Amino acid sequence: MGKIVSIIGNKGGTGKTTLSHMMAHGLGLFDMRAVAILTDTFRDKLSKQNRNYLPFDARSDENMAQAVAKLRAVGHWTGIIDGGGNRPEMDRKLADMSDLVILPFRDSHEDMRTVRRDLDRFPNAYALPSQWPTNRWAEAAAQRSVHNLLANYGSRILAPSYCLSSSKLLLQDLVPPSLPRALHNAAREVAMQALELLGIEIEDTDWLPAVTAGASAAYAPQASSSDPSILYA
């Protein structure tokens, strides 16, 4: 059967849609067939042009049932469901049908408090720091917040997806025919984490020296320190 990954969470604005398209794009770069499944009624359907994955509009119950049935009938596709925010009942429904549940959160205390509740609601889910700061001091502050608020969930926190302005290109209706290498590498990294959690191996590892982390190096909370350089040893 095909695999289903749901990217959900009760709070809006955590980067679920961006992460969904980055993961689908990353899977496409590994020559895997992926579909980014839209469920958020406040977003628009996107064009297939210049994408290496298929956007699918599942905002109706009929289309959602069609997408799930198709994925379960084939063994070579992965569906990435963008769950939308502030829909706890839909989150539960999507989690129940998924092989992997990912809960993105940003570097605010509000996001971390919310994802903490979602991790309790979905005990098999993983949290992923999304649109994470790249400035070393800002990241150090973010990691201290993770330590203070999510210390009990360290084994379920994945490596961050860092803030990358070019990720917005995947959310355009018409994607440019050429995308930056940094976006390709970030998308591969996100996809790689999902593949590892799904137990799917890939052969293409030529890109690995270009990235900094993977699912095997979870973003586990560390001891708080006033010297952020400890995070970059």
Side-chain angles (χ1 to χ4, degrees):
M1 295 190 299
K3 300 294 185 181
I4 296 177
V5 179
S6 282
I7 299 179
I8 60 175
N10 197 43
K11 187 178 181 301
T14 60
K16 288 185 281 291
T17 300
T18 300
L19 191 62
S20 300
H21 285 268
M22 286 182 66
M23 187 176 293
H25 179 66
L27 291 171
L29 292 172
F30 289 133
D31 293 325
M32 296 181 175
R33 295 185 177 181
V35 53
I37 300 175
L38 172 66
T39 68
D40 190 342
T41 56
F42 292 98
R43 293 192 177 274
D44 296 324
K45 180 182 177 181
L46 301 178
S47 168
K48 170 65 174 68
Q49 185 174 340
N50 295 331
R51 297 180 195 270
N52 62 7
Y53 61 95
L54 177 67
F56 184 79
D57 184 356
R59 289 176 293 179
S60 69
D61 291 341
E62 180 181 358
N63 283 3
M64 172 60 78
Q66 177 186 347
V68 172
K70 184 68 174 178
L71 286 166
R72 292 311 189 192
V74 297
H76 53 282
W77 282 82
T78 301
I80 314 298
I81 299 179
D82 174 15
N86 302 308
R87 300 190 301 176
E89 293 184 5
M90 175 62 80
D91 282 354
R92 174 62 63 186
K93 178 179 178 181
L94 295 177
D96 288 344
M97 69 173 64
S98 299
D99 301 289
L100 173 63
V101 175
I102 293 179
L103 306 164
F105 67 97
R106 299 187 70 171
D107 61 326
S108 73
H109 281 209
E110 182 182 5
D111 275 38
M112 293 181 197
R113 288 191 296 267
T114 302
V115 81
R116 186 170 59 194
R117 290 191 291 269
D118 284 340
L119 284 165
D120 289 336
R121 289 178 60 215
F122 304 109
N124 296 321
Y126 292 84
L128 191 151
S130 172
Q131 300 182 32
W132 215 239
T134 55
N135 174 276
R136 66 184 306 218
W137 298 98
E139 187 186 7
Q143 188 162 347
R144 286 195 294 271
S145 295
V146 170
H147 169 74
N148 292 330
L149 297 175
L150 297 171
N152 294 332
Y153 305 90
S155 64
R156 298 169 62 194
I157 300 175
L158 303 179
S161 175
Y162 288 94
C163 183
L164 188 66
S165 61
S166 59
S167 64
K168 299 180 179 68
L169 296 173
L170 295 175
L171 302 187
Q172 295 181 181
D173 184 33
L174 296 177
V175 173
S178 178
L179 295 171
R181 179 180 297 180
L183 177 57
H184 291 322
N185 287 335
R188 287 187 182 100
E189 189 173 30
V190 166
M192 185 68 178
Q193 296 204 71
L195 291 172
E196 288 187 8
L197 292 169
L198 291 169
I200 299 173
E201 296 184 359
I202 62 166
E203 297 180 359
D204 177 13
T205 57
D206 292 341
W207 58 279
L208 281 172
V211 301
T212 58
S216 59
Y219 199 65
Q222 300 179 7
S224 178
S225 170
S226 60
D227 179 10
S229 64
I230 193 173
L231 306 179
Y232 298 86

